[in-house]
């Protein structure tokens, strides 16, 4: 199965699940529900859920077994965007082509909508039909990836790196946490749910780490060469915030080269010692290829 | 054992655990760690951990078995205070006698310190030595109590009720969520860890619901009659924020009567059908008595 067919088959089902899982639990008509739903429904690429579900498929499992964890992951990603956009943080007014949460609902409600999504994510996993052993592994890994040693630490390091030039090594470390951790969790969570071998889990982790870096380099590059309609968010913001970016450190051409190098490494990681484990790398290779940018 | 002895014996041990559990996991010297630690170390009554540990003792169990969950609960309580104090929320400058988190670390860091504590709480439970079955029950209950159907919903309802007078019934519902849910979790979590009967679990829940209401009424009353040195926070703030409070709705004397009535109900709930279950209500009765205010 190729990626387009997989997306066409699975992602509308997942999208319904993502929205309905929020709807069923929250009191109807409450402002909180609307604020949470606003940002979750705002679209986005759903790259983390796609990755998690594609891992399940790659190991011959039903992607539906990962819907709860993929939804939890997307709620956490969404909360991080809502808080990231706040006036006290990046102060962004536009996200995914729509006004950001605090522009619509106010700063107080945006803070609480983020808090609500973050907390609810753990509930969704805890009440899922997975075994308790898997739930505990997944919750522990998700909290570690999203929390003060993972994504939140990356966010702090990113803030601290603003308005100064940081060396490439530090930039990579910041992004490994800020963007990489949730992608790493997506890949590993698929592996945990599919009960893959430890060699496979390690391969998935390596794949995701390279993919995560590629993802961030791409984001930096698109902030320079993309346009607002295509991206659904303002461009040129990194320059305004005086952020250290890959194009700054490596030049635009160098950044695009580094991006494509990471994607090559990601695909290479999937060639692990299989020992008769059922695994088809084609979907994950295609996900890596999605991020390619043609050198110009 | 009386409450003073229990506190003297257990709470310093718990306090060390609470601080050290944060220290071990977070990268040393990072601003994030300092911001998280600042608010966790700021003291406070630790009433939620005390309640959880006292429940374990009441059922003849070692309170130490509840340290991880009690710490997680206190991290979540602390995050809620940090976010609650933000300029976009209650805009408080003083908490527990010290400048609030955002005054010291800035708004951006305070938001992230809160996010970090909330996320970390779930990791602490997930990696605790409890059985996976208990962990899943506890995480599910905690997320429900703290999340968008629990504490966060209460916070939103509280915000929405500002600057208008709400009837007593609505005020009770707001506080049942905003303050009551975490106290309810504290009592129930102790019961889950101690593996108590379902009758006992129900009794603990009823006890905690009344205790939670008493707690909030007391808070409102102390905002009128307390002083800043004793409380460690500014008083008279409810009037400034035009909040609906029990003293407003019931008069000061009426509010104190209602408080003492709730405490009576809390203690009464502990008289459940024991069927030979080991249970000594004295610690929980004393915790209720701590909240009594003499009528003047």
């Amino acid at each position: 199965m190729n990626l387009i067919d997989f997306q066409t088959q699975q992602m509308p089902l997942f999208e319904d699940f993502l929205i309905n899982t929020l709807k069923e639990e929250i009191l109807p008509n409450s402002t909180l529900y609307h604020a949470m739903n606003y940002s979750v429904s705002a679209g986005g690429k759903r790259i983390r859920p796609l990755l998690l579900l594609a891992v399940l498929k790659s190991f011959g499992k039903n992607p539906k077994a990962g819907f709860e964890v993929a939804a939890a992951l997307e709620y956490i990603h969404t909360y991080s965007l809502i808080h990231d956009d706040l006036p006290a943080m990046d102060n962004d007014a536009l996200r995914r082509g729509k006004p950001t949460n605090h522009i619509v609902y106010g700063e107080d409600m945006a803070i609480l909508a983020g808090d609500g999504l973050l907390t609810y994510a753990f509930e969704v996993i805890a009440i899922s039909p997975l075994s308790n052993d898997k739930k505990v592994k997944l919750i522990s890994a998700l909290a570690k990836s999203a929390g003060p040693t993972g994504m939140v630490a990356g966010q702090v390091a990113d803030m601290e790196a603003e308005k100064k030039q940081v060396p490439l090594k530090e930039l990579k470390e910041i992004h490994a946490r800020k963007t990489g951790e949730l992608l790493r969790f997506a890949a590993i969570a698929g592996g945990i749910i599919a009960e893959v071998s430890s060699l496979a889990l390690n391969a998935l982790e390596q794949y995701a780490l390279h993919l995560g870096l590629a993802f961030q380099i791409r984001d930096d590059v698109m902030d320079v060469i993309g346009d607002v309609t295509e991206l659904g968010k303002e461009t040129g913001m990194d320059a305004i915030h005086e952020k250290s970016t890959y194009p700054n450190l490596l030049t635009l051409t160098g950044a695009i080269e580094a991006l494509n190098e990471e994607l090559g490494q990601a695909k290479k990681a999937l060639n692990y010692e299989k020992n008769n484990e059922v695994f088809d790398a084609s979907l994950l290779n295609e996900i890596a290829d999605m991020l390619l940018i043609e050198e110009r």
Side-chain angles (χ1 to χ4, degrees), chain A residues 108-161:
Chain A
D108 45 4
M109 194 61 72
I111 293 167
L112 290 166
D115 293 345
L117 285 168
L118 170 54
T119 315
Y120 187 53
F122 291 101
E123 187 178 347
V124 169
I125 299 179
I127 64 176
S128 75
L130 296 166
S131 73
N132 283 348
D133 288 357
K134 283 186 188 174
K135 287 181 195 179
V136 170
K137 269 188 205 167
L138 290 161
I139 288 167
S140 164
L142 179 57
K144 208 170 177 61
S145 284
T149 54
M151 184 179 70
V152 172
Q155 185 66 36
V156 172
D158 192 38
M159 269 167 36
E160 290 178 337

Side-chain angles (χ1 to χ4, degrees), chain A residues 255-269:
Chain A
I256 294 174
E257 274 171 21
L259 162 66
N260 295 344
E261 167 70 18
E262 292 296 337
L263 294 175
Q265 293 288 330
K267 294 201 271 190
K268 202 171 152 195

Side-chain angles (χ1 to χ4, degrees), chain A residues 14-171:
Chain A
F14 172 72
E15 193 68 25
D16 282 352
F17 183 88
L18 182 74
I19 303 300
N20 290 334
T21 299
L22 207 54
K23 230 168 218 162
E24 281 171 18
E25 286 297 319
I26 311 298
L27 298 174
N29 297 321
S30 82
T31 321
L32 177 62
Y33 161 70
H34 287 291
M36 290 166 70
N37 185 60
Y38 174 79
S39 292
V40 171
S41 305
K45 296 177 288 291
R46 312 296 192 209
I47 184 83
R48 291 156 197 80
L50 175 66
L51 178 55
L52 193 158
L53 303 179
V55 168
L56 282 166
K57 182 74 179 173
S58 307
F59 287 91
K61 298 293 192 304
N62 189 344
K64 203 166 180 318
F67 273 19
E68 286 86 1
V69 182
L73 178 54
E74 192 67 8
Y75 296 145
I76 286 194
H77 172 60
T78 305
Y79 118 74
S80 78
L81 299 181
I82 295 173
H83 281 191
D84 210 17
D85 288 336
L86 285 167
M89 309 273 282
D90 280 354
N91 196 19
D92 279 321
L94 201 59
R95 164 77 69 180
R96 294 173 178 169
K98 297 171 73 175
T100 46
N101 200 290
H102 64 91
I103 297 287
V104 181
Y105 293 97
E107 257 183 271
D108 45 4
M109 194 61 72
I111 293 167
L112 290 166
D115 293 345
L117 285 168
L118 170 54
T119 315
Y120 187 53
F122 291 101
E123 187 178 347
V124 169
I125 299 179
I127 64 176
S128 75
L130 296 166
S131 73
N132 283 348
D133 288 357
K134 283 186 188 174
K135 287 181 195 179
V136 170
K137 269 188 205 167
L138 290 161
I139 288 167
S140 164
L142 179 57
K144 208 170 177 61
S145 284
T149 54
M151 184 179 70
V152 172
Q155 185 66 36
V156 172
D158 192 38
M159 269 167 36
E160 290 178 337
E162 267 185 41
K163 306 193 176 183
K164 66 177 183 186
Q165 286 295 310
V166 300
L168 188 62
K169 186 166 173 291
E170 193 180 329
L171 191 66

Side-chain angles (χ1 to χ4, degrees), chain A residues 214 217-218 221-222 225-226 230 251-261 263 267 288-296:
Chain A
I217 300 172
R218 189 176 207 279
V221 169
M222 295 311 282
I225 67 172
E230 186 190 335
T251 76
L252 190 57
T253 311
I256 294 174
E257 274 171 21
L259 162 66
N260 295 344
E261 167 70 18
L263 294 175
K267 294 201 271 190
D289 288 338
M290 274 170 49
L291 301 184
L292 279 170
I293 295 180
E294 298 291 322
E295 290 179 56
R296 6 178 120 185

Side-chain angles (χ1 to χ4, degrees), chain A residues 1-11 13 50 53-63 279-287:
Chain A
M1 177 177 275
N2 67 33
L3 187 61
I4 296 286
D5 286 349
F6 181 75
Q7 286 181 295
T8 308
Q9 189 189 79
Q10 292 297 330
M11 294 315 278
L13 296 174
L50 175 66
L53 303 179
V55 168
L56 282 166
K57 182 74 179 173
S58 307
F59 287 91
K61 298 293 192 304
N62 189 344
F279 175 64
D280 177 349
S282 55
L283 284 180
L284 300 184
N285 282 332
E286 276 198 75
I287 287 176

